[in-house]
Amino acid sequence: MKHYYTDEKNTLILISLLKQHNIRKVIASPGTTNISFVGSIQFDPFFEVYSAVDERAAAFMACGLAEESGEPVVLTCTGATASRNYVPGLTEAFYRKLPVLAVTSSQHEGRIGNYVAQMLDRSGQFSDMVKMSVQARTVYSSEDEENMVTSINNALLELTHNTPGPVHINLYTTYSNNFVVEELPKYRVIRRVKEDGYPDLPKGKIGIFVGAHAAFSDEETAAIDAFCESNNAIVICDQISNYRGKYRFLTSFVNNQPVDLGTKKFDLLIYIGSVHGAYMSFSGKQLWRVNPDGVIRDPYRNLTYVFEMDEINFFKHYATGENNNTIKELCDKASEAAIKKIPELPFSNMWIAQQTASKIPSESILHLSILNTLRVWNYFETDKTILCYTNSGGYGIDGCLSSFLGSATVNPEKEHYMIIGDLAFFYDMGALFNKIPSNVHIMLINNGVGTEFKNYNHRASYFGEEANDFMAAKGHNGFKNENLVKELCDKREIAYCSASDKKSYLSVISNWLNKGSGPILLEVFTNDKDESDALEIMNNILVSDAVKARVKRFVKRMKKRVKRHGK
Amino acid sequence: MENKYLYIVSNLSEQRTREIANIINDEATILYAIDCRTALYLATGIAEQNLEKVIVLVDENNTSRSAFSGMTEAFYRKLPIILVTIGSNVDYSKKINDTINSFYSINSFEELLLIDDMAYPAHIEVAVENYNYEKVNCEKVQHLLQGKLINDEYLYVGQGIKNEGYDYKCKVVNGGTVGCFDGAVANVLGASLSGMRDKYVALITDIELLHDINTLGNINMNDTVKIIALCSKSCEYLGNIAATLGFNVEAVNEIDIDKNIVGTFINSAQKGLLLVKR
């Protein structure tokens, strides 16, 4: 009788990654629920499988075997109280720092608490029992599959990460009796590099993707520049990346175009910093993350390496001193080509950003509120001495103003500029009832609605005007009431000015920008249609003439059809 | 149910149990269990039959971790079990969800009597000083082993054995965790599965052997494993079980043990159990 692997994908992922991480020793306890796993590995000559009936003894055996062999040891058990008997042995493994992986098999988690026989709740663990616990659910979608690949890699790496110790995987099963997979699929493996074992850089284009980041020191900037020069790399930035070296590429404008000018696809992405600001369009064949925390973070589900080290050490390691950079010129030309073609924009946050971004005074701090403001202000460059921030950690609109005022209050020597939409402003307006320092310049873009949800390419656009009430929250706070914020400012001793068109804007902006004019608030009244139109224009600057012609012909045909058939 | 606790199952010594029982209820029926896991299941049996609350006493070290299979049983059957862990050698700040319905941290046993309306099963931590388990001093045996075990061999010294100031040439593993006597034999068996050495010797107490008695019959038990158990009480029955499972069993009084006995035992080609009577 030939023996093949189970068709349960989460189990296949686990087995594939155990092999790729070279974890071969398994102590199996008998049961039904873990048969998909045991039935697959017991015939695979890679694995050394031992039996132990008492799970408590099994876990202690794993301690002894892990310590003596210097290798991780896997435990596998069924449902019911089997896994509870692992607890003492896992506790010992925790205190003795031994890499023991407890794979407990389980029925569907929806059965927890429903008095289904043998079903336990394995979602909570004692603090000193395992370093990490992962729920390895049944895979139904491609995102489930990618999630499992990341989670299981993370669990296996944690066995020996920093202080070795036990890890738990709760492996769900559908009790499939199909052991039909002849060849074990090779799922993506993630590895961690600390001091040695650096992989070779792939050849081709490299993008250093910088999420939210603190200001870079001169030395860090030089290290990144040297890396880029020798490895044909560009630094994919948004405003909150705060990288201001030679290879900065403010990506949004060019990469949001419907054509690819060679700036979107990379052979390797290197990810530093935390969560990004603007939603930028780019992709890489694989992702390497560099961060001293060494944590597995896999935003695009293509992570292959995590470098647990300071960024500067990583970049210095790979810089060769040669000059092989061709991508910078490509990106610069694409940016120039796009900027040249910008037509007159409607009066909107986008137009304001176009007019004002480069005029924010040097050495200032700029805050951009979530989300549309953050988006449009990423289309235009700011002075290279400016540091920019947004609440990209939680991505909420609830504290944008507070975060800005906090920074302004404790950094009185730096002028602080904030661009904020009306939903975010009024959400957090209570922050203005604290002491407001004089280095504060707030620009409130008030269109009376969550413009984010009214943009042409947002999923709420499907609903048209019917999105206004409950998706876009139109009409709150007096709907563009001209006196509300004015009176608020008056009460809080904040200088107030307003604008409702290009002319009035241009007449007040210089004063708003002036150092020493604060605290000052400029309220700009726009409308969501102009906001959306401006965004659509900017996102289609570089559509090729051929495409434009095709689109024009298509739209003409559709209009004729509608007229003919009334559909 | 009245507030009085009629039943106590204890994993502690008789003397310690009596001291606590005098506070809780000096007329309580007391059962003793060497193994904490057993203690909990004894309690579930009592609770389901008698519909009465049962207190289980155990030191708060890794031993108490064996309580949680029985606590799971109690949880799903809604049995009035109160696990009382004494001391603070392990961390119970987070919970395993389906094992308890209430948790208390108190400073004395008197406070236990003040707790009303407990949701069962319950876990009560009594934050008193950790109990200091006395380890067995077996100098003679250790000196003999020192002379017999060489570089490429393995010695596991259990938690019950005092192990200070010995200079072994072989690899020495001081396994286990403070106050916990589970898993010693299993640890050694596990190590032997690596196949890296010719001998895997365990120096443990009879209590540790008893905790792990079902490991003797593991199908992977092999001839590299040699267990030396210091027996404070009669442990002939342990030898009988081991012999039935194919162990070479020997018994000797500690006073009579010498290098020949130790040498012959550990060099035997068969898995072995040497009972050293104190």
Side-chain angles (χ1 to χ4, degrees):
Chain A
M1 180 186 172
K2 288 201 174 194
H3 298 287
Y4 302 128
Y5 301 96
T6 179
D7 64 351
E8 292 195 47
K9 222 170 224 184
N10 57 345
T11 305
L12 289 172
I13 293 169
L14 173 61
I15 297 171
S16 168
L17 291 176
L18 282 171
K19 292 179 90 166
Q20 293 187 75
H21 283 279
N22 209 27
I23 298 172
R24 58 182 71 233
K25 293 179 170 26
V26 182
I27 300 178
S29 293
T32 303
T33 307
N34 56 339
I35 282 178
S36 294
F37 179 64
V38 175
S40 300
I41 62 165
Q42 71 176 39
F43 300 109
D44 186 328
F46 173 85
F47 292 101
E48 294 167 29
V49 189
Y50 305 97
S51 174
V53 173
D54 180 341
E55 286 88 1
R56 185 170 68 181
F60 284 114
M61 283 169 65
C63 287
L65 183 53
E67 191 279 330
E68 175 70 344
S69 67
E71 294 177 32
V73 176
V74 182
L75 294 164
T76 167
C77 75
T78 185
T81 49
S83 62
R84 295 287 144 87
N85 284 290
Y86 281 162
V87 175
L90 290 177
T91 305
E92 172 152 337
F94 186 92
Y95 283 105
R96 288 176 62 194
K97 303 175 179 36
L98 300 171
V100 173
L101 177 71
V103 178
T104 59
S105 289
S106 176
Q107 305 169 54
H108 192 285
E109 66 185 325
R111 299 179 189 179
I112 294 172
N114 284 306
Y115 276 15
V116 173
Q118 302 193 44
M119 186 62 198
L120 296 197
D121 180 352
R122 292 175 177 152
S123 59
Q125 324 300 335
F126 293 131
S127 301
D128 56 349
M129 188 176 108
V130 290
K131 292 174 68 187
M132 178 183 287
S133 176
V134 162
Q135 301 294 316
R137 294 182 173 89
T138 300
V139 169
Y140 292 108
S141 68
S142 59
E143 183 151 13
D144 287 344
E145 181 177 319
E146 291 298 348
N147 182 34
M148 277 306 104
V149 170
T150 305
S151 299
I152 291 174
N153 265 299
N154 196 5
L156 300 186
L157 286 167
E158 191 60 24
L159 286 165
T160 52
H161 181 217
N162 291 334
T163 307
V167 169
H168 169 229
I169 294 178
N170 198 29
L171 183 66
Y172 290 88
T173 182
T174 57
Y175 296 89
S176 168
N177 285 327
N178 299 329
F179 292 89
V180 295
V181 175
E182 287 186 38
E183 200 176 317
L184 186 67
K186 202 166 181 185
Y187 290 96
R188 174 170 52 93
V189 67
I190 301 172
R191 302 204 187 277
R192 188 181 269 118
V193 176
K194 277 188 92 161
E195 282 154 4
D196 49 26
Y198 286 83
D200 292 332
L201 274 177
K203 297 273 178 265
K205 289 191 292 193
I206 297 178
I208 302 173
F209 161 44
V210 186
H213 202 288
F216 287 83
S217 68
D218 290 344
E219 202 192 347
E220 286 166 341
T221 304
I224 293 173
D225 287 354
F227 174 90
C228 290
E229 191 152 285
S230 52
N231 295 297
N232 196 25
I234 198 74
V235 184
I236 300 167
C237 291
D238 64 39
Q239 297 285 11
I240 65 170
S241 304
N242 290 316
Y243 163 79
R244 294 289 187 172
K246 185 179 170 191
Y247 292 91
R248 173 179 166 103
F249 174 41
L250 194 69
T251 310
S252 287
F253 185 20
V254 170
N255 279 17
N256 283 352
Q257 303 304 312
V259 294
D260 184 359
L261 299 172
T263 60
K264 291 188 187 182
K265 293 189 181 123
F266 295 87
D267 295 279
L268 172 67
L269 288 171
I270 297 167
Y271 178 20
I272 61 176
S274 66
V275 185
H276 61 79
Y279 285 69
M280 295 174 280
S281 176
F282 58 84
S283 64
K285 289 181 184 164
Q286 56 173 312
L287 183 78
W288 292 2
R289 180 174 186 256
V290 182
N291 197 295
D293 68 14
V295 174
I296 306 299
R297 302 208 193 275
D298 196 3
Y300 307 111
R301 303 300 187 187
N302 58 354
L303 182 70
T304 53
Y305 281 92
V306 169
F307 293 81
E308 188 169 331
M309 59 186 64
D310 289 331
E311 293 158 8
I312 194 170
N313 294 338
F314 171 86
F315 291 117
K316 280 183 173 175
H317 176 86
Y318 283 108
T320 63
E322 297 165 3
N323 189 343
N324 293 318
N325 196 295
T326 55
I327 189 170
K328 176 169 164 52
E329 196 182 338
L330 196 66
C331 294
D332 286 348
K333 278 189 172 153
S335 297
E336 285 158 17
I339 289 167
K340 269 192 201 148
K341 284 194 161 186
I342 300 176
E344 186 69 26
L345 295 173
F347 183 61
S348 57
N349 201 351
M350 184 72 81
W351 179 86
I352 289 166
Q354 181 190 28
Q355 300 299 314
T356 316
S358 59
K359 296 188 177 109
I360 304 277
S362 60
E363 306 292 342
S364 303
I365 306 291
L366 174 63
H367 277 237
L368 302 171
S369 74
I370 303 294
L371 178 51
N372 193 60
T373 296
L374 176 63
R375 171 186 299 109
V376 305
W377 280 73
N378 265 294
Y379 280 62
F380 302 100
E381 264 297 8
T382 52
D383 183 87
K384 64 182 180 182
T385 61
I386 284 172
L387 291 174
C388 187
Y389 300 94
T390 195
N391 282 3
S392 63
Y395 251 94
I397 62 170
D398 49 344
C400 302
L401 189 54
S402 297
S403 297
F404 166 71
L405 290 172
S407 176
T409 304
V410 301
N411 294 292
E413 75 288 358
K414 289 231 172 206
E415 293 302 303
H416 277 61
Y417 296 85
M418 165 143 235
I419 320 298
I420 184 167
D422 54 284
L423 252 62
F425 177 84
F426 288 111
Y427 199 132
D428 202 16
M429 64 191 280
L432 291 174
F433 291 88
N434 297 298
K435 192 166 182 304
I436 308 299
S438 61
N439 57 341
V440 157
H441 308 248
I442 299 169
M443 185 187 299
L444 164 57
I445 310 293
N446 191 347
N447 39 51
V449 70
T451 279
E452 175 66 23
F453 313 102
K454 300 292 293 176
N455 282 334
Y456 74 100
N457 55 356
H458 193 276
R459 64 189 294 230
S461 65
Y462 170 83
F463 294 92
E465 292 301 299
E466 287 171 325
N468 287 348
D469 290 344
F470 305 114
M471 296 171 200
K474 186 170 182 174
H476 291 266
N477 299 296
F479 186 64
K480 293 162 69 168
N481 184 305
E482 287 176 5
N483 294 315
L484 176 60
V485 177
K486 191 174 173 185
E487 282 190 24
L488 173 65
C489 289
D490 188 52
K491 294 280 184 302
R492 302 303 303 146
E493 295 177 347
I494 302 170
Y496 175 85
C497 51
S498 67
S500 54
D501 53 37
K502 292 181 182 180
K503 188 176 172 187
S504 55
Y505 178 84
L506 290 171
S507 73
V508 297
I509 190 60
S510 298
N511 183 47
W512 182 81
L513 285 166
N514 267 349
K515 291 184 184 183
S517 65
I520 184 167
L521 188 147
L522 164 58
E523 185 171 16
V524 185
F525 295 98
T526 67
N527 69 70
D528 54 281
K529 186 180 179 314
D530 285 343
E531 296 284 2
S532 177
D533 288 348
L535 181 64
E536 188 170 8
I537 290 169
M538 288 296 286
N539 282 348
N540 290 282
I541 296 281
L542 293 180
V543 175
S544 71
D545 291 335
V547 170
K548 276 186 187 160
R550 276 207 302 275
V551 168
K552 211 172 172 180
R553 287 195 295 271
F554 174 77
V555 168
K556 207 172 169 182
R557 280 201 307 274
M558 287 299 109
K559 280 181 178 168
K560 275 188 185 164
R561 187 179 289 177
V562 166
K563 209 173 174 183
R564 206 180 300 135
H565 299 290
K567 287 180 193 165
Chain B
M1 274 180 266
E2 294 175 3
N3 205 16
K4 219 170 179 184
Y5 295 99
L6 300 180
Y7 298 97
I8 295 174
V9 179
S10 178
N11 182 241
L12 313 178
S13 68
E14 207 173 312
Q15 184 190 339
R16 290 176 70 204
T17 306
R18 278 273 150 232
E19 285 167 10
I20 297 166
N22 286 342
I23 300 170
I24 296 173
N25 177 11
D26 55 10
E27 290 176 359
T29 303
I30 302 174
L31 285 77
Y32 293 93
I34 294 170
D35 186 326
C36 174
R37 180 170 63 188
T38 305
L40 258 298
Y41 281 111
L42 284 173
T44 61
I46 296 168
E48 70 164 339
Q49 178 63 45
N50 291 31
L51 302 177
E52 284 288 343
K53 297 173 289 198
V54 183
I55 283 185
V56 180
L57 300 174
V58 58
D59 280 318
E60 188 167 302
N61 52 38
N62 198 17
T63 300
S64 63
R65 292 282 157 95
S66 288
F68 287 87
S69 49
M71 291 297 279
T72 308
E73 178 78 18
F75 181 91
Y76 283 104
R77 293 172 62 197
K78 292 178 162 322
L79 299 175
I81 307 292
I82 301 115
L83 172 67
V84 176
T85 56
I86 303 160
S88 57
N89 257 325
V90 286
D91 186 347
Y92 282 119
S93 56
K94 285 189 183 169
K95 313 286 172 273
I96 294 180
N97 292 336
D98 53 352
T99 57
I100 61 173
N101 276 315
S102 60
F103 177 83
Y104 302 87
S105 193
I106 58 178
N107 296 310
S108 69
F109 288 97
E110 286 81 0
E111 283 181 49
L112 194 158
L113 299 170
L114 302 175
I115 303 173
D116 278 330
D117 294 327
M118 252 188 261
Y120 300 113
H123 178 189
I124 300 177
E125 259 189 327
V126 185
V128 296
E129 214 173 298
N130 290 319
Y131 183 74
N132 199 9
Y133 280 91
E134 211 176 300
K135 297 199 180 209
V136 168
N137 201 342
C138 53
E139 267 188 51
K140 190 177 184 186
V141 173
Q142 295 231 39
H143 280 302
L144 291 170
L145 278 174
Q146 248 185 242
K148 285 294 172 190
L149 290 172
I150 58 173
N151 281 344
D152 210 31
E153 289 163 348
Y154 174 109
L155 174 67
Y156 179 99
V157 183
Q159 279 293 313
I161 304 288
K162 197 171 186 178
N163 186 30
E164 286 154 33
Y166 296 100
D167 186 22
Y168 287 97
K169 296 188 202 72
C170 64
K171 173 176 176 174
V172 178
V173 172
N174 292 296
T177 52
V178 170
C180 177
F181 303 121
D182 296 313
V185 178
N187 247 294
V188 176
L189 172 59
S192 76
L193 296 179
S194 70
M196 290 167 70
R197 300 169 207 270
D198 294 332
K199 287 191 197 62
Y200 288 85
V201 180
L203 179 61
I204 59 177
T205 61
D206 51 353
I207 300 295
E208 289 173 286
L209 177 58
L210 198 55
H211 273 248
D212 242 10
I213 193 71
N214 64 12
T215 302
L216 292 182
N218 186 291
I219 197 172
N220 298 293
M221 187 56 77
N222 59 79
D223 293 332
T224 65
V225 175
K226 323 286 178 196
I227 302 166
I228 301 174
L230 278 296
C231 299
S232 53
K233 299 175 187 175
S234 165
C235 44
E236 215 175 286
Y237 65 102
L238 294 173
N240 292 341
I241 294 169
T244 313
L245 290 167
F247 278 78
N248 164 38
V249 178
E250 297 174 34
V252 63
N253 292 319
E254 191 178 16
I255 200 167
D256 296 327
I257 197 168
D258 62 25
K259 62 180 179 184
N260 288 326
I261 293 171
V262 170
T264 306
F265 172 72
I266 64 172
N267 288 317
S268 154
Q270 201 181 344
K271 57 194 179 192
L273 173 63
L274 175 62
L275 299 167
V276 181
K277 296 181 234 178
R278 313 193 68 224

